[in-house]
Amino acid sequence: MRLHILLLFFMYNTAWSQVQTVGLFFNTPESFQGYTLFSNNTHTYLIDNCGYKVNEWESQHLPGSSVYLLENGHLLRTARISGNFSGGGLGGRFEIFDWSNALIWSAELANVEVHSHHDIAPLPNGNFLALCWQAIVESEAEELGWAYEGEVWSEMILELEPAGHGNYHIVWKWRLVDHIIQDHDPSKANYGVIAGHPELININFNGLDKPDTRDWFHLNAIDYNESLDQIVVSSRNFGEIWIIDHSTSIAEAAGHEGGSAGKGGDILYRFGNPHAYGRGLASDQRFFEPHSVSWISNDRLMVFNNKATDDRSRVEHWTLPVDHDHSYILMENEPYGPETMDWTYTSPGFYSDIMSSAQMLPNSNILICEGREGRFFEVTEDHRIIWEYVNPVNSNGHPILQGGTPRFNQTFHVQRYGPEFPGFAQVSLVPSEPVELAPWEYSCEIYDSASSLKDPESEYLHLMENPVSNKLTVYNPSLNRNVAIWDVNGILLKRFKLKIGDNVLDIQDLSPGIFFLRYQDTDSNGLITFYKI
C-alpha cells in the first residue's frame, strides 16, 4: 500500500531554541492531496501539500483581499487601490493573470460612489460577483430613516463580465438599500415593525455597538450556489449570514417580487443573530464578526465564527431549514433555525479576530485559515489536525527566515484545489522550492510502507516506521537519550530514556493523530513528527 507520508525530521545544528516557525509543519496520509492558493502581498502562491511552490504570480498591487483560480487555469485576484473609501478589505481593482504570470485583463471599480472590497465569487459563465461599498450621503441617509449623522456606507453586489482590458459590463446588481426597514422615524421612508419583516434589513441595528462607523454592515465574504442560483454573504457587523436570490433580473432584484423564490431581492434566509431582526435578544447571538461563509451543499452552510468566545474562534456548519421545494422554513414570530449546529471545531489558542476562512474538502476534511496568525491547517471530522502550514511571507512580500518570529503574515483566506481541477489540465504542476528561506530539511515523498524504514547505519535518531499503531520503534545510534512525546497543542504526554539501538515505546494509550518526539543531548537535538493510526 502506497501512502503519502511526511516524516518531519528536524536536525538542530546549534541551540535547542532554534525551532521551526514557518512553512510546512506536517502532512499525513489522511490529508486531501491538492494545491493550496494564498496571497497576503503582491505575490500569489500555489503550493502542494509538501509546501513546495507549484506556481507564483506577481502583481503591482496588494490583494484586496481574495484570490481564486479559474477553470481555464487563470488567476482572478482582487487588488487594493486608494479612493474615496478606506477600511479593512479595501479593493477597487480586479486582475486576471494567465498561468505564466501575464496580465491579460484588469479593471477598476473605485469612484466616489462605489468601491469594491473584500471578496469575489467566480461564476460558471466566466463572470464574477463582487462585494462593493455604496456611499449614502447624509441627506439621503436621513430620508431613508438612518439614525446616523454623516455619510454612511451601504452594500452592493455586482455581477461583472470582463469586456476587454480596463472594461467590464454590469450584468446583474443587488443593492442593500432596496431591502431595508427602520423603526426610528415614522415620518421617513421604510418605517415598519422590524420583527414583522425578517426579509428586510434594519438599518439602525449595529451589532458591534459602534455608532460612529460608516462601514455599517461590513460584508466580508460571498459564495455562489449554481444549482440553486442563490448567493450567501456574511456580515461582520450584524453577526449574520444572508441568502439572496440571484435568479432575478436587475429590476426584480431591486424589488420584493420575482425570481425563482418569488421574493425579488429580499433576504430568503438569515442566521447568526436573531436580535438583528427583532426575533431574539442580544444573548441569542450565535455568530460574532463572522467571515468566510460558504455552501457545503444545497442544504448546508459553513462559517468561520471569529469571536465565538473571548479567546476562541470556531468553525461551524449546519443544515438549513428547508421544505420539499427548498423554501426556507420560518415559523411565525420565531427566528430562523436551526437550534443546534451539525459540527463545530475549536481548540485552545485557536483565535483570529479578523480575516480567516474555512473550506470543505472533497474527503470531508476542512481546510482552515487562522487569518491573524497566517496559519493554515486541515482537520478531520473528529477534530484531528492532519496538515499544517504557516504562511512564510510578510505583507511586504519578504520571505520570513526559518526560526524567526512570523510577523505581518496575516492571510485573508486560502483555497485548495484537487488534482482533477479543470484549470490544471493544460499546465505543469511540477514543484520547485519552498516559499520560506532556509526551509527545514524533511522528506515528502510517496513511500511503500516497507520503504519507510530508515537505514540502520544512519547517524541520526529515527523511527523505524511511520505511521505507527500502539508501538513506536525508535532507533538510537549512540548515547543514552531522554526523549519526550508532545501533542499538537504543546502538551507534554510521555517521557522515555533510550538505550543504544532499537527502542520499542508503548503508546497504546495515545489517541490516533499527530505527535512530536523531541530529544536533546550534548550530541544532537531534534524533533520528529509521527502519525498514530
Side-chain angles (χ1 to χ4, degrees):
M1 176 181 178
R2 298 179 69 84
L3 299 173
H4 283 71
I5 297 174
L6 171 66
L7 176 60
L8 286 178
F9 191 103
F10 297 103
M11 293 173 289
Y12 294 70
N13 295 320
T14 54
W16 172 257
S17 62
Q18 291 181 324
V19 297
Q20 184 186 15
T21 54
V22 294
L24 181 70
F25 280 73
F26 48 85
N27 174 34
T28 73
E30 286 185 275
S31 176
F32 176 69
Q33 301 296 309
Y35 303 91
T36 302
L37 185 75
F38 67 95
S39 178
N40 69 324
N41 58 79
T42 56
H43 292 253
T44 301
Y45 301 97
L46 185 69
I47 60 171
D48 64 13
N49 271 42
C50 295
Y52 290 103
K53 285 190 290 186
V54 172
N55 204 17
E56 180 178 356
W57 298 264
E58 184 176 3
S59 170
Q60 299 299 312
H61 302 274
L62 293 171
S65 297
S66 298
V67 293
Y68 293 96
L69 289 179
L70 303 179
E71 293 195 350
N72 60 5
H74 293 164
L75 175 75
L76 172 64
R77 75 186 301 273
T78 59
R80 187 185 311 173
I81 60 173
S82 60
N84 189 53
F85 296 77
S86 62
L90 182 70
R93 178 181 168 92
F94 312 104
E95 300 175 330
I96 296 179
F97 291 84
D98 68 14
W99 188 260
S100 62
N101 195 40
L103 180 64
I104 60 175
W105 177 82
S106 65
E108 295 183 357
L109 182 52
N111 54 55
V112 295
E113 296 179 351
V114 179
H115 200 116
S116 67
H117 66 93
H118 280 93
D119 200 12
I120 53 178
L123 299 178
N125 61 5
N127 300 342
F128 62 93
L129 299 169
L131 296 177
C132 302
W133 285 310
Q134 179 186 12
I136 307 296
V137 298
E138 183 174 9
S139 59
E140 182 182 358
E142 183 180 353
E143 289 303 311
L144 290 172
W146 236 302
Y148 182 81
E149 295 182 1
E151 180 183 276
V152 66
W153 299 349
S154 183
E155 297 280 355
M156 296 175 64
I157 302 173
L158 299 180
E159 179 180 343
L160 303 179
E161 177 188 15
H165 193 70
N167 297 307
Y168 52 79
H169 299 307
I170 298 176
V171 299
W172 185 83
K173 176 172 61 177
W174 177 87
R175 301 193 319 157
L176 189 149
V177 292
D178 294 325
H179 308 280
I180 60 177
I181 191 171
Q182 57 91 14
D183 60 0
H184 168 67
D185 189 342
S187 69
K188 304 300 181 182
N190 311 303
Y191 184 78
V193 178
I194 305 298
H197 294 278
E199 77 280 7
L200 302 177
I201 300 163
N202 177 11
I203 57 174
N204 290 314
F205 178 81
N206 195 298
L208 296 185
D209 193 28
K210 293 180 179 178
D212 59 337
T213 180
R214 292 183 296 172
D215 185 7
W216 199 262
F217 307 99
H218 197 97
L219 300 188
N220 53 33
I222 182 168
D223 196 27
Y224 175 72
N225 185 309
E226 180 181 7
S227 61
L228 297 177
D229 202 8
Q230 292 179 2
I231 296 166
V232 63
V233 297
S234 57
S235 170
R236 173 180 175 267
N237 291 10
F238 272 50
E240 287 191 287
I241 63 92
W242 304 330
I243 293 177
I244 60 176
D245 194 352
H246 178 257
S247 70
T248 56
S249 65
I250 291 180
E252 290 171 335
H256 311 290
E257 298 179 351
S260 298
K263 297 183 178 181
D266 286 346
I267 293 178
L268 303 181
Y269 170 82
R270 62 198 301 175
F271 188 66
N273 190 5
H275 186 47
Y277 53 102
R279 295 198 177 186
L281 304 175
S283 58
D284 296 317
Q285 185 171 349
R286 293 172 179 260
F287 297 160
F288 297 86
E289 304 186 29
H291 285 70
S292 182
V293 64
S294 59
W295 295 94
I296 295 177
S297 64
N298 287 350
D299 61 356
R300 294 168 68 205
L301 289 174
M302 181 164 61
V303 75
F304 192 106
N305 190 0
N306 290 66
K307 294 185 176 181
T309 67
D310 289 340
D311 62 352
R312 291 195 191 185
S313 298
R314 286 200 298 256
V315 174
E316 307 181 73
H317 62 69
W318 70 99
T319 299
L320 298 168
V322 294
D323 60 19
H324 65 281
D325 65 351
H326 209 278
S327 296
Y328 297 98
I329 298 171
L330 178 64
M331 306 301 292
E332 186 175 3
N333 299 322
E334 295 293 324
Y336 279 104
E339 293 184 358
T340 59
M341 310 303 280
D342 294 342
W343 183 88
T344 295
Y345 173 82
T346 190
S347 65
F350 171 55
Y351 182 75
S352 179
D353 58 335
I354 59 172
M355 303 181 179
S356 308
S357 67
Q359 176 194 3
M360 177 70 78
L361 299 172
N363 63 355
S364 296
N365 293 344
I366 293 178
L367 178 65
I368 298 172
C369 169
E370 188 178 354
R372 172 73 80 174
E373 303 299 322
R375 175 183 176 230
F376 320 148
F377 61 101
E378 182 182 347
V379 298
T380 60
E381 290 182 294
D382 58 353
H383 299 171
R384 290 179 292 112
I385 299 176
I386 43 84
W387 183 88
E388 184 171 5
Y389 182 91
V390 173
N391 182 6
V393 186
N394 65 30
S395 56
N396 292 323
H398 299 141
I400 297 167
L401 182 66
Q402 188 66 263
T405 301
R407 297 182 184 275
F408 309 111
N409 66 336
Q410 299 97 326
T411 310
F412 183 72
H413 79 175
V414 299
Q415 194 82 9
R416 184 173 296 171
Y417 300 85
E420 74 290 342
F421 179 66
F424 297 150
Q426 303 298 323
V427 301
S428 172
L429 296 173
V430 177
S432 56
E433 70 278 348
V435 179
E436 67 270 21
L437 299 178
W440 257 183
E441 295 182 31
Y442 60 80
S443 177
C444 195
E445 307 282 344
I446 298 177
Y447 292 102
D448 289 324
S449 57
S451 68
S452 66
L453 305 183
K454 299 303 176 182
D455 178 3
E457 301 302 322
S458 170
E459 62 180 298
Y460 299 109
L461 182 147
H462 58 264
L463 307 185
M464 297 304 291
E465 60 179 10
N466 195 8
V468 298
S469 55
N470 291 328
K471 303 293 183 182
L472 181 68
T473 302
V474 183
Y475 178 76
N476 182 28
S478 64
L479 300 178
N480 291 321
R481 285 187 172 92
N482 293 318
V483 297
I485 294 177
W486 300 70
D487 69 10
V488 294
N489 295 314
I491 297 174
L492 175 63
L493 303 176
K494 290 175 174 289
R495 293 184 185 273
F496 298 95
K497 187 177 183 67
L498 302 185
K499 65 181 182 180
I500 297 174
D502 287 345
N503 295 260
V504 180
L505 312 183
D506 184 0
I507 58 169
Q508 61 180 339
D509 57 334
L510 299 184
S511 300
I514 299 294
F515 298 92
F516 304 108
L517 181 73
R518 296 181 182 271
Y519 63 93
Q520 180 182 21
D521 52 47
T522 58
D523 180 59
S524 61
N525 311 285
L527 178 149
I528 301 173
T529 301
F530 68 91
Y531 178 66
K532 181 183 176 184
I533 55 177

